[in-house]
Amino acid sequence: MPRDELDEWLEECDDRGPLFEAAEARVDAIVIDEASVNVVTERVRARMDGPRGSRSWRWLAVATLAAALVTVWMSAGSPTSPGPAPSTRPAVPAAARDVASPDAVAARRRPGAPPAYDPVLADAHRLLVEANLAAGDLDGAMVAVLDLAEMHGPPSHPRTPEELAATARLLRKVAVQAYTQARQETDPELLDRASVVYAVYLADFSEPEHDKNVRYAYGELLYEARRYDEAWEQYTAVAADPEHAKAQFCGESAVFAAEEMLKESDEPEVWRERFVDAADVYVETWPDDPKSVDMQYKAAYALYKAEDADAIERFESLAMQAPERREGGYAANLALDARVTAGDFAGAAAFAATFVEDEAVPEELRAKIAEVGGNAAYEAARRAVAEGADPAVEWAVYRETWPDGPSPP
């Protein structure tokens, strides 16, 4: 087979990655359909209009042949066998398998100086990504876009904002398609590989106008993959911008993600604090939302289970704020329980007396709180007398405040 521009271009590549090796191994087996090449050529010509029109047609040929190679490679299994049906997901070439895994991405980060940057070669590489997507080869697109990000992204040589934006757009596009397909097919491996593309974008190509939307989508992916700690981080970043359309949803999701971590983490103290902080952020940012009551209760209950004294004040505050809500009733009961358990009978009685005066308290709840408050007040008076207080005064005050409480001795 005579040498051409593609052979020369391949020889100039210093680092022959998995995609290069797989393509080279299949070159002799490919029968290039002229019609397919013509279609890709027209796409390349359209891309080269305007500012790129003056570039050397040598590079145009390289880009055309490279894009045609990917298109035909994935549409022809062999010179004599038909390609896969359009609805069939193409198989991953052996040399390219697993190159998009998190470990492989880290391994591809070569030490030392980055490879020389060539803007025309970068354009050709972007065409490889587009050609894979057009051919329905999501695996090839992920491999190509991650290689593109490594070779032509930070910390490579200086690039124009337009070039960075072009690569960033492809990363977003591939990540979204991979995540969508992973959900449709319930494919946890593809879900993990899609997460790599999102991570590379956020690490090296994040753009202010797209950052929050990408973080929201990435957080959803991570939550679905049960990587709750990472999901919490992405949700928290979005919730920090209350003006964003997904801020409130992410604020609530950050609470859920931290709650899941609190259940399974080896660092319960760390995640309890993050859980409570996430709930507090939600309440402070969206105080009028009905879910704020539930968030306050969740935070107080987490502290209550940890025997944190701050839970009492939180429960009492919530009970007075929403006495008619189920959470308010629970909070009132738990506040009394916590004070009685701690031996603060006077404090329990004082809270109960204030709470039952609220007309919004349901009658059944009022009667229950009054009974507990009366018993607590009785015990407080009994202990005060035992410690030397004037019995006549103590029991007189008790009877005046709690006429329906237990009878004094």
Side-chain angles (χ1 to χ4, degrees):
M1 181 177 181
R3 291 178 58 80
D4 56 20
E5 299 291 333
L6 182 59
D7 293 310
E8 296 178 7
W9 173 62
L10 292 175
E11 288 181 355
E12 293 174 2
C13 295
D14 295 330
D15 184 10
R16 295 162 63 127
L19 182 60
F20 176 98
E21 295 171 1
E24 187 179 49
R26 296 292 298 277
V27 163
D28 292 336
I30 293 175
V31 175
I32 298 180
D33 175 39
E34 183 177 355
S36 298
V37 175
N38 288 338
V39 170
V40 179
T41 300
E42 289 304 318
R43 290 177 60 205
V44 175
R45 182 176 291 113
R47 291 174 178 276
M48 297 296 285
D49 287 341
R52 299 179 187 158
S54 60
R55 290 183 178 175
S56 167
W57 277 95
R58 171 181 179 271
W59 288 109
L60 175 58
V62 171
T64 302
L65 289 173
L69 173 62
V70 174
T71 302
V72 178
W73 182 15
M74 299 315 301
S75 63
S78 70
T80 58
S81 63
S87 61
T88 302
R89 185 171 156 193
V92 186
R97 190 174 296 123
D98 297 332
V99 300
S101 68
D103 291 340
V105 170
R108 287 207 306 276
R109 296 288 187 182
R110 294 186 296 270
Y117 177 74
D118 188 323
V120 180
L121 185 57
D123 282 344
H125 206 99
R126 291 186 190 98
L127 285 176
L128 290 176
V129 180
E130 294 280 17
N132 275 303
L133 290 174
D137 177 16
L138 185 56
D139 294 305
M142 282 194 288
V143 172
V145 82
L146 290 172
D147 284 342
L148 171 65
E150 180 190 18
M151 289 188 290
H152 306 301
S156 183
H157 292 268
R159 300 145 314 273
T160 66
E162 292 75 17
E163 289 170 323
L164 280 175
T167 300
R169 181 187 67 82
L170 285 177
L171 283 163
R172 294 198 310 272
K173 186 175 182 179
V174 171
V176 169
Q177 290 197 25
Y179 179 29
T180 301
Q181 184 167 314
R183 295 189 67 185
Q184 292 173 346
E185 299 180 359
T186 316
D187 187 340
E189 179 185 354
L190 182 56
L191 202 65
D192 284 341
R193 296 176 67 193
S195 75
V196 176
V197 185
Y198 275 116
V200 169
Y201 171 85
L202 290 171
D204 294 337
F205 294 90
S206 183
E207 304 157 295
E209 65 271 27
H210 297 293
D211 181 83
K212 296 298 189 300
N213 287 333
V214 172
R215 290 186 181 278
Y216 156 68
Y218 187 30
E220 289 288 89
L221 181 155
L222 293 168
Y223 195 95
E224 189 166 342
R226 305 179 68 85
R227 292 159 61 180
Y228 300 118
D229 51 343
E230 298 171 81
W232 167 83
E233 183 178 356
Q234 300 305 321
Y235 287 139
T236 299
V238 180
D241 179 10
E243 300 301 319
H244 191 271
K246 294 294 184 180
Q248 186 169 352
F249 175 86
C250 288
E252 182 181 9
S253 298
V255 176
F256 293 153
E259 187 174 25
E260 292 296 332
M261 287 302 298
L262 181 57
K263 296 175 184 176
E264 61 185 43
S265 174
D266 294 332
E267 301 177 304
E269 296 82 7
V270 171
W271 282 103
R272 183 179 300 108
E273 181 179 353
R274 291 177 178 176
F275 172 66
V276 172
D277 287 346
D280 287 347
V281 167
Y282 190 94
V283 173
E284 292 169 7
T285 309
W286 299 281
D288 298 327
D289 184 77
K291 292 179 182 178
S292 289
V293 172
D294 182 56
M295 295 298 177
Q296 290 181 68
Y297 181 80
K298 283 176 175 287
Y301 191 73
L303 295 173
Y304 173 78
K305 290 181 66 176
E307 299 182 356
D308 190 316
D310 288 344
I312 296 176
E313 184 177 349
R314 286 173 176 265
F315 278 139
E316 291 180 348
S317 174
L318 175 58
M320 299 303 299
Q321 176 187 333
E324 76 288 354
R325 290 277 298 268
R326 179 185 61 178
E327 294 86 354
Y330 290 162
N333 277 296
L334 288 172
L336 288 176
D337 177 75
R339 286 198 179 278
V340 169
T341 300
D344 183 11
F345 296 99
F351 165 70
T354 302
F355 183 74
V356 297
E357 290 178 358
D358 194 321
E359 296 180 356
V361 177
E363 284 302 321
E364 183 178 353
L365 177 62
R366 187 195 310 276
K368 183 176 182 180
I369 297 298
E371 180 181 0
V372 176
N375 289 335
Y378 178 92
E379 181 63 19
R382 187 191 69 78
R383 292 192 176 198
V385 171
E387 293 174 0
D390 186 339
V393 173
E394 287 296 327
W395 290 117
V397 171
Y398 161 74
R399 177 54 74 189
E400 181 180 358
T401 307
W402 298 95
D404 297 327
S407 298

